[in-house]
Amino acid sequence: MVPGQLLSDNGKRSGPGTYTLDGKVYAAQAGIPRVVDGVIRVIPVSGRYRPERGDNVIGIVTDIKPNLIEVDLGGEITAVLRLPERETPPLKLTLGDVIMAEVKSSGLRGVFLDPEGLQKIKSGILITINAAKVPRLIGRKGSMIQLLKKETGCDFWVGRNGLVVVSGRTASSEFAAISAINLIEREAHSQGLTERVVQLLKSLKGDEESG
Amino acid sequence: MKRVVKLIDENGRRVDGRRPDELRPIRMEAGVLEKSDGSAYIEVGGTRIYAAVFGPREVHPKHLELPDRAVINCRYHMASFSVDERKPLGMTRREIELSKVLREALESVVFVEEFPRMMIDVFVEVIQADGGTRTAGITAASLALADAGIPMADLVAATAVGKVDGIIVLDINEIEDKYGQADMPVAMAPRLGSIVLLQLNGMMTVEEISAGLEMAENAIKTIQQSQIDALRKRYRVEAGGEEL
């Protein structure tokens, strides 16, 4: 779909990535159309991350104030983490720490992270991918990320904002994982992606064993 | 001063051999620049333009931000080497004006209300100028916005009509612009049926304007189809055979 393309004559079926005009639904973004529960949505193929409530995001601590921590979510978005008063922070965070947290609210007042379930990521390689491709990296019910975990033996933290941390025991396993992530980002919406990822990981493993 | 340039020959052909209602060859491509969120390149005859879009991102300087909608920041700029005689560096009065009209044309299709306190940067860089740079600039900028995944109601396309030797012609080039009688750039969101930019330099009668607008509308539909094709080509690999 491209912006302005007609999707449906029934204006009630307008979902994300679409708009209605004179009772008809049109696409507002470049993307792939999908019908979910009778609602038409356009899954965008590009675009920056927009924080939404409930998203699990990864960020870098950029500022620490008495009861407030500022976190950079990439894409020039800064989120705020408010720590409960008169309580020592559960984790000792310093500048430059990488954390994972849930978005509590997002709107005119800014983006707030939920201090509950906050996680500090201690080690790994931080990489950035296009946020529009994150759902493909996770896969249906986490199938793709489970596959990567199984095949490479690495641990993954995937932020909805496009920041991903890969942590493995060996450099070559981390390399294989990052190569696979790059492949997924490049060919996000193509068919037979899973097979190609398996093939890539296999060939990388073969190189390692023979070399 | 007596004019020596003859713009339309006895066969009704123009200086570059086109018929009055013929467009120059157009080529465009989306996603040509790596560091921007969206980009486009367009060639219309000898005119060559790059457009790049950043955002939506935080507003800088902060005082420009609006609480209910996004700010679009548009910069139309010509490279020093884009014209016959070196254009001095920096923004001329003309470039500042064109930046404004481009911004207003794009603001009318982009859903700016969806991004309060944000800014969308649009950069239009003219590499080579051969007439019709503002219209080609709008066409490229709107393609770059779509490539950046920014929600908008329609793709904006543009072309100019002009009056040359008393005849209404489509998509005028530099020579026709310089020596012709009138130049009227038109930008439209064709599927919304709205005109988002209309300027006129010179004199045309009411009949000539409506004839010109009709000519422009048909051409704009063709140009929009090339925009759609460019966008589909850009995401063909990712969409994996599925039609975008």
Side-chain angles (χ1 to χ4, degrees):
Chain A
M1 289 293 127
V2 294
Q5 201 171 333
L6 181 70
L7 287 164
S8 164
D9 291 330
N10 184 351
K12 285 177 187 149
R13 303 179 68 195
S14 172
T18 70
Y19 70 97
T20 48
L21 185 77
D22 297 331
K24 287 179 179 173
V25 183
Y26 299 89
Q29 271 173 298
I32 295 156
R34 285 280 182 280
V35 181
V36 181
D37 301 328
V39 170
I40 304 169
R41 58 196 300 168
V42 172
I43 299 167
V45 283
S46 61
R48 284 200 177 198
Y49 171 65
R50 284 169 76 182
E52 260 167 57
R53 202 184 152 188
D55 286 352
N56 276 311
V57 293
I58 289 176
I60 302 162
V61 177
T62 51
D63 199 358
I64 296 177
K65 289 169 183 168
N67 52 9
L68 189 144
I69 291 173
E70 273 179 18
V71 182
D72 175 23
L73 297 184
E76 294 172 42
I77 301 165
T78 310
V80 173
L81 182 66
R82 250 193 220 151
L83 296 171
E85 268 180 76
R86 271 183 278 134
E87 230 177 89
T88 47
L91 301 160
K92 273 193 182 139
L93 293 174
T94 48
L95 292 182
D97 277 349
V98 176
I99 58 154
M100 185 164 199
E102 198 179 305
V103 177
K104 200 178 184 183
S105 71
S106 163
L108 271 176
R109 292 178 188 193
V111 184
F112 293 94
L113 298 178
D114 199 341
E116 264 174 54
L118 175 72
Q119 220 185 76
K120 182 170 154 185
I121 300 169
K122 291 207 175 95
S123 75
I125 301 173
L126 180 69
I127 56 168
T128 312
I129 64 168
N130 188 332
K133 318 286 166 65
V134 169
R136 295 307 306 236
L137 175 60
I138 295 168
R140 224 164 254 157
K141 286 180 186 160
S143 60
M144 186 66 87
I145 204 77
Q146 290 298 334
L147 176 88
L148 289 182
K149 261 183 197 164
K150 206 179 88 201
E151 293 289 324
T152 63
C154 294
D155 285 328
F156 293 86
W157 287 268
V158 183
R160 186 66 191 78
N161 54 338
L163 263 53
V164 180
V165 179
V166 180
S167 172
R169 235 171 274 144
T170 60
S172 59
S173 69
E174 285 176 340
F175 171 76
I178 292 169
S179 309
I181 291 170
N182 285 338
L183 175 82
I184 295 166
E185 189 192 7
R186 206 166 50 241
E187 302 177 12
H189 296 281
S190 60
Q191 274 157 5
L193 182 63
T194 315
E195 286 94 89
R196 249 168 300 141
V197 170
V198 172
Q199 257 169 26
L200 175 83
L201 291 174
K202 254 187 199 148
S203 73
L204 285 172
K205 236 183 224 169
D207 289 348
E208 198 183 316
E209 275 157 20
S210 62
Chain B
M1 193 184 89
K2 210 184 165 220
R3 212 181 61 206
V4 284
V5 194
K6 203 180 166 198
L7 292 170
I8 298 201
D9 70 4
E10 42 300 330
N11 300 324
R13 295 276 175 169
R14 298 205 256 160
V15 278
D16 48 8
R18 281 184 291 156
R19 280 174 271 106
D21 62 343
E22 201 175 330
L23 280 167
R24 287 178 284 175
I26 295 184
R27 192 173 80 82
M28 49 184 126
E29 206 176 316
V32 286
L33 304 173
E34 208 134 279
K35 306 208 166 173
S36 59
D37 293 310
S39 57
Y41 172 67
I42 188 168
E43 267 179 43
V44 183
T47 296
R48 293 178 185 184
I49 295 173
Y50 276 101
V53 169
F54 291 84
R57 61 182 179 186
E58 266 175 45
V59 185
H60 197 82
K62 205 88 186 160
H63 70 266
L64 292 177
E65 85 175 15
L66 298 174
D68 58 340
R69 67 182 202 88
V71 178
I72 295 184
N73 171 37
C74 188
R75 185 181 116 115
Y76 164 98
H77 182 251
M78 285 173 111
S80 299
F81 50 80
S82 65
V83 277
D84 293 331
E85 216 164 303
R86 194 188 111 95
K87 190 202 78 85
L89 284 172
M91 298 286 278
T92 59
R93 286 174 64 101
R94 179 180 169 276
E95 286 168 312
I96 294 167
E97 182 210 316
L98 290 190
S99 301
K100 176 186 175 282
V101 295
L102 248 75
R103 190 195 74 224
E104 286 174 353
L106 298 170
E107 269 175 352
S108 52
V109 289
V110 173
F111 291 118
V112 280
E113 328 75 62
E114 283 193 31
F115 305 99
R117 295 204 177 142
M118 300 275 239
M119 176 158 81
I120 299 164
D121 281 304
V122 180
F123 298 101
V124 173
E125 201 71 23
V126 180
I127 302 300
Q128 187 170 287
D130 182 26
T133 54
R134 80 190 67 185
T135 53
I138 289 178
T139 310
S142 118
L143 184 55
L145 280 169
D147 181 43
I150 287 165
M152 49 208 253
D154 197 1
L155 288 161
V156 175
T159 193
V161 284
K163 191 167 144 190
V164 169
D165 287 357
I167 294 172
I168 301 298
V169 295
L170 182 68
D171 190 17
I172 62 169
N173 61 25
E174 198 179 2
I175 297 165
E176 290 169 328
D177 185 18
K178 261 188 189 154
Y179 301 105
Q181 292 146 309
D183 166 26
M184 182 170 78
V186 187
M188 293 180 84
R191 283 178 288 196
L192 300 178
S194 55
I195 295 172
V196 295
L197 174 134
L198 183 66
Q199 293 179 299
L200 175 60
N201 201 331
M203 300 251 258
M204 279 163 93
T205 64
V206 177
E207 292 77 38
E208 283 168 342
I209 286 178
S210 50
L213 276 179
E214 198 179 316
M215 206 182 229
E217 188 176 357
N218 288 329
I220 282 168
K221 281 178 185 157
T222 321
I223 298 169
Q224 195 190 47
Q225 194 52 52
S226 332
Q227 284 178 313
I228 294 171
D229 292 343
L231 210 53
R232 290 204 167 125
K233 196 179 159 210
R234 160 87 165 97
Y235 291 107
R236 198 167 52 199
V237 178
E238 279 173 24
E242 204 174 335
E243 185 80 326
L244 196 67

